[in-house]
Amino acid sequence: MTAVLVPLSLLFVWSLMSDRMSRWSVTAPIAFAVAGAALAGGDRSSIGFDLDAHTFQKCVEVVLAVMLFTDATEARGYERLGRSVGEGRLLGLALPASVLLGTLAGVVLFPGTSWWLSAVAALVVMPADLAPVLNLLRDERVPLRVRAALNVEGGFNDGLVSPFFVFCVANLLSADGDTFTDLVLNTARGAAYAVLVGAVLGFLASWLVRRSRGAGWTGSTGLRTAGLALPFLACAASSAVGGNGFVAAFVTGLCYARTARPAVDGHLRLVHDVSHLMALAVWFTFGILIADEFADGVSLAVVVYAVLVLTVARFVPVVAALAGGGFSGAERAAVGWLGSRGVTSIVFAVLAYTQLSDGEAAFVAKVACATVLLSVVAHGVTAEPIARWFARRAPRETGGEGGLPPATPLRGTD
């Protein structure tokens, strides 16, 4: 009971003080991560919290499904810009290259680490999450295409990474009788089923929403509740037919947002609010991981790995992929540097932690915690100077025609 009482009390107190704390640059991720480290980590934990419990693992899987759904619905709004923001290059070229470089860095820096485990670590730490640079996405001093590219990448990359993450973890957990071919076929089959379920459910749900709204059978409250049910329904339906629940939730969000958005304003507000609450729980869990994994200190190899992941492994592929795509050199550099890490990496790390053996789980948790911590500091500190640089060197871009859609508070960032 204490494990529930403490986080809920913290949520209540934070809700009453959030505006005041924001004036002191204390954000929700910082507050909940510090609380998790102080109250639930270490050998003398103040509350009972078992990261290895099967129930906890299922809860994290549900959190990821909801977050993938909301990511897909958020990113859809940026497609009306009517201009290239480099999403194809970022997701199709830069992201795979970054994962490969991250995998190579893990093998080199941690001798004896298998390629599959290093790949899991790279897939955990590479997806961009925009929490540390949220204010920059609303800052019109930064060129529009930079902000849009970062937002679209942050919305789509976790959905693309999730099946490969599941595949690599399955390789580490596979029994001796499971061949590589079997795992590839099973993963491909699960992804195909998930895409089919997600597409059918997303388009069917949007059609039913429009029909129901047009006939006057439901109102805003009912539509918000229907939107909240969709990621859970997608995950459950896909799992029932042997599909990947994460991919299904993501595809459902894409298809649903594509056609249902004009039906009524704010019909996805409830699911986004729930996703925000789940993100706060993830940041609390992040604090637990930090306290547990760094209780005896952190090795130099882990720090070097985190630095490489945030710099070379991210920066070089992004700058190269965006060359010739209409971005200036400064804009490419900004997109390359501002690939911050946050909730997505934490959720993937927790999923790996709950499934892998002790040594493998500790490795993934350590590199993920170091990378996210370093990202929060480095990207948070440099976002404002980057915005000032663009304000001095380039014409200020404003919203206007084709501007950014109204900013949606990202997961656990308020």
Side-chain angles (χ1 to χ4, degrees):
M1 182 59 69
T2 305
V4 176
L5 179 62
V6 172
L8 290 179
S9 300
L10 175 62
L11 174 63
F12 179 78
V13 173
W14 174 260
S15 300
L16 298 180
M17 301 177 60
S18 58
D19 287 348
R20 181 65 178 177
M21 298 299 288
S22 65
R23 300 175 192 172
W24 300 335
S25 299
V26 179
T27 62
I30 294 175
F32 278 77
V34 169
L39 299 175
D43 297 330
R44 293 176 293 180
S45 175
S46 300
I47 65 175
F49 210 83
D50 185 7
L51 293 178
D52 297 314
H54 178 73
T55 301
F56 180 77
Q57 176 184 337
K58 293 302 180 183
C59 289
V60 174
E61 291 175 355
V62 170
V63 169
L64 180 57
V66 173
M67 289 184 352
L68 288 170
F69 177 87
T70 56
D71 273 352
T73 60
E74 286 174 349
R76 292 295 309 175
Y78 283 74
E79 292 188 359
R80 69 178 178 84
L81 287 172
R83 67 176 72 181
S84 172
V85 295
E87 68 273 18
R89 295 167 178 249
L90 287 172
L91 299 171
L93 298 177
L95 181 58
S98 293
V99 171
L100 288 176
L101 288 176
T103 302
L104 180 61
V107 172
V108 172
L109 290 172
F110 304 97
T113 300
S114 71
W115 284 92
W116 288 118
L117 180 58
S118 185
V120 169
L123 290 166
V124 166
V125 300
M126 278 305 172
D129 189 281
L130 304 176
V133 293
L134 175 63
N135 290 334
L136 183 140
L137 292 180
R138 300 167 174 170
D139 195 330
E140 294 181 350
R141 294 174 296 176
V142 179
L144 177 61
R145 65 169 59 90
V146 172
R147 291 178 279 150
L150 288 169
N151 192 80
V152 173
E153 180 193 12
F156 284 105
N157 60 12
D158 47 2
L160 298 177
V161 161
S162 61
F164 297 99
F165 170 79
V166 171
F167 173 71
C168 291
V169 170
N171 271 279
L172 291 173
L173 299 176
S174 63
D176 293 338
D178 294 334
T179 66
F180 178 80
T181 302
D182 291 334
L183 291 171
V184 171
L185 292 176
N186 290 335
T187 301
R189 187 182 302 111
Y193 288 162
V195 171
L196 179 61
V197 170
V200 171
L201 179 60
F203 285 120
L204 177 61
S206 66
W207 181 80
L208 291 173
V209 162
R210 295 195 308 272
R211 295 282 294 180
S212 177
R213 181 66 172 176
W217 292 354
T218 188
S220 298
T221 300
L223 292 177
R224 289 195 295 269
T225 304
L228 175 61
L230 275 178
F232 300 95
L233 182 59
C235 189
S238 181
S239 299
V241 297
N244 185 315
F246 305 143
V247 174
F250 183 74
V251 174
T252 299
L254 287 177
C255 298
Y256 182 73
R258 176 185 292 274
T259 52
R261 187 178 296 276
V264 61
D265 292 334
H267 66 290
L268 292 172
R269 187 176 304 155
L270 180 58
V271 68
H272 283 278
D273 287 342
V274 170
S275 180
H276 171 72
L277 291 176
M278 289 179 169
L280 296 181
V282 170
W283 284 108
F284 187 85
T285 305
F286 179 57
I288 300 173
L289 281 175
I290 292 174
D292 287 346
E293 300 303 326
F294 292 165
D296 299 324
V298 55
S299 69
L300 178 61
V302 170
V303 176
V304 173
Y305 178 85
V307 172
L308 288 176
V309 163
L310 295 175
T311 55
V312 177
R314 159 74 186 186
F315 190 84
V316 173
V318 168
V319 172
L322 293 180
F327 288 77
S328 68
E331 290 171 343
R332 285 187 288 147
V335 176
W337 167 244
L338 293 171
S340 55
R341 311 303 200 273
V343 172
T344 301
S345 293
I346 299 170
V347 172
F348 280 133
V350 172
L351 281 175
Y353 188 92
T354 59
Q355 298 180 63
L356 299 179
S357 63
D358 291 343
E360 294 171 337
F363 168 74
V364 174
K366 280 183 169 62
V367 297
C369 287
T371 303
V372 173
L373 274 176
L374 184 59
S375 174
V376 169
V377 174
H379 292 112
V381 168
T382 57
E384 178 60 24
I386 289 173
R388 291 177 182 175
W389 189 91
F390 275 117
R392 292 195 305 266
R393 299 297 180 93
R396 179 173 178 172
E397 292 196 23
T398 57
E401 185 177 358
L404 288 170
T408 301
L410 301 177
R411 302 180 298 247
T413 55
D414 290 350

